[in-house]
Amino acid sequence: MTNDLKVLDHTGDTQIRWNPSNRDETQAAREHFDSMKAKGYLAYALDADGARGEVIRKFDPQARSIVMTPQMQGG
Amino acid sequence: MTVPVTYGFDGTATSNVVAVATTTTWGTSTNVTFPTSTSTNSSSRLVSWRPGGPVWSGYDGVYWDPIPVREELDEVRRWFYAGDEAAARAEPLPPDPEVERRRQERVAVRALARDRARQTLLSLLPPTERDRYEAGEGFTVRGSAGGEYHVRGGHYVRNVTRTGGGRRVRLCAHPRMLVDGGELPTEDALIAQLLMLRFDEPGFLAIANAEEM
């Protein structure tokens, strides 16, 4: 099983995949997640089609799909 | 200040245009607005820069294209000091091939980014909303607290409308668009709006500027 972290950015997105049973991959994904959270990014754990999900504040290694978006602001 | 200038509309335009620029200074940055017209288009182009900082150009203040500082400043100078409007009408300034080459590279990179963002957005929409978006009609989102919203595509400013339950309200909230030296594709901004409404509607409403329609 491979899980997926997608961080929206000026390239469209940067994608990191990890197998939760692989410690190094999981750690790399966690570190990227944490670094983007430190920049104020918002994170959502989603199901396959994005219809169901939730806001997450900590990295969940079991999440199948995580999308991170830059911080929102009033326009 | 009003200065007659001439410049190529952008790397994809088929004709050059003549414009009159007005400048405004905000703090340490300078904005130059170029009302423009061609036989097929009438709009304005805004270029702003801060000494030593990034240069931005865009159309109608909505679509922004970050451009590396040096070459765009050179281009702005060429526009700005072209001077003679009559001469400008007669003989547009020749494009700089190197600037043009880099601009085309940026256009290609941005097209790829937009395509990636668009694919992600479509993957997050149910089939009916996907079809509506592809048809240029935006999409509808059911908020986590039960509200219903219509999100228009094409840009990310004042593009969300609360449609359910009484009066329609236009909302404006979007992500910070400048990310690591480049601009987020518009479709990524739509994803950010979609996800926040879908999973944190109260959070979206707390930060959005609202305007009754």
Side-chain angles (χ1 to χ4, degrees), chain A residues 6 8-15 36 39 41-42 44-46 48-55 57 67 69-75, chain B residues 112-113 116-117 120 123-125 172-177 179-180 182-185 188 191-193 195-196 198-200 204 207-209:
Chain A
K6 192 174 276 192
L8 306 189
D9 59 25
H10 65 284
T11 69
D13 63 75
T14 296
Q15 212 163 358
M36 301 317 288
K39 291 182 178 180
Y41 274 58
L42 307 174
Y44 304 89
L46 307 176
D49 62 6
R52 286 179 296 279
E54 61 179 337
V55 176
R57 290 174 174 77
V67 175
T69 74
Q71 194 168 30
M72 297 285 280
Q73 58 192 15
Chain B
L112 283 175
R116 285 176 66 90
T120 300
S123 75
L124 295 171
L125 293 174
C172 186
H174 56 79
R176 190 168 48 86
M177 296 302 289
V179 180
D180 296 331
E183 189 199 14
L184 209 63
D188 273 352
I191 293 169
Q193 293 170 331
L195 293 179
M196 196 168 194
R198 197 178 267 173
F199 302 118
D200 184 17
F204 186 93
I207 60 169
N209 287 324

Side-chain angles (χ1 to χ4, degrees), chain B residues 161-182:
Chain B
T161 304
R162 186 163 59 196
T163 53
R167 285 174 299 191
R168 291 160 63 90
V169 178
R170 181 176 290 146
L171 300 160
C172 186
H174 56 79
R176 190 168 48 86
M177 296 302 289
L178 181 60
V179 180
D180 296 331

Side-chain angles (χ1 to χ4, degrees), chain B:
Chain B
M1 181 172 64
T2 301
V3 182
V5 293
T6 183
Y7 60 96
F9 193 64
D10 74 1
T12 62
T14 56
S15 64
N16 290 320
V17 296
V18 174
V20 175
T22 57
T23 65
T24 53
T25 301
W26 298 87
T28 56
S29 67
T30 300
N31 295 328
V32 183
T33 305
F34 299 92
T36 62
S37 62
T38 68
S39 59
T40 58
N41 183 39
S42 178
S43 65
S44 65
R45 174 178 176 130
L46 176 67
V47 176
S48 67
W49 73 90
R50 187 186 302 271
V55 175
W56 298 82
S57 70
Y59 302 99
D60 303 324
V62 173
Y63 170 65
W64 297 87
D65 182 23
I67 295 173
V69 176
R70 180 56 189 273
E71 65 193 47
E72 185 70 2
L73 274 180
D74 287 345
E75 199 167 352
V76 168
R77 285 192 191 98
R78 289 197 297 127
W79 296 344
F80 216 78
Y81 296 113
D84 184 337
E85 188 171 6
R89 285 181 189 280
E91 193 62 42
L93 294 175
D96 180 326
E98 180 60 16
V99 169
E100 188 56 29
R101 187 187 66 75
R102 291 187 193 181
R103 189 191 300 278
Q104 291 300 333
E105 281 182 2
R106 288 196 302 274
V107 168
V109 167
R110 285 180 61 84
L112 283 175
R114 282 180 172 173
D115 190 55
R116 285 176 66 90
R118 181 174 155 279
Q119 293 301 330
T120 300
L121 174 62
L122 293 176
S123 75
L124 295 171
L125 293 174
T128 52
E129 299 306 317
R130 199 178 301 159
D131 292 343
R132 286 185 69 194
Y133 182 76
E134 296 264 61
E137 298 172 4
F139 55 85
T140 296
V141 188
R142 175 69 68 181
S144 59
E148 187 175 286
Y149 301 86
H150 180 255
V151 180
R152 279 182 293 148
H155 65 95
Y156 54 85
V157 177
R158 298 171 73 223
N159 65 323
V160 178
T161 304
R162 186 163 59 196
T163 53
R167 285 174 299 191
R168 291 160 63 90
V169 178
R170 181 176 290 146
L171 300 160
C172 186
H174 56 79
R176 190 168 48 86
M177 296 302 289
L178 181 60
V179 180
D180 296 331
E183 189 199 14
L184 209 63
T186 297
E187 289 79 1
D188 273 352
L190 302 182
I191 293 169
Q193 293 170 331
L194 166 70
L195 293 179
M196 196 168 194
L197 284 166
R198 197 178 267 173
F199 302 118
D200 184 17
E201 182 184 353
F204 186 93
L205 296 177
I207 60 169
N209 287 324
E211 171 189 359
E212 289 207 10
M213 299 173 70

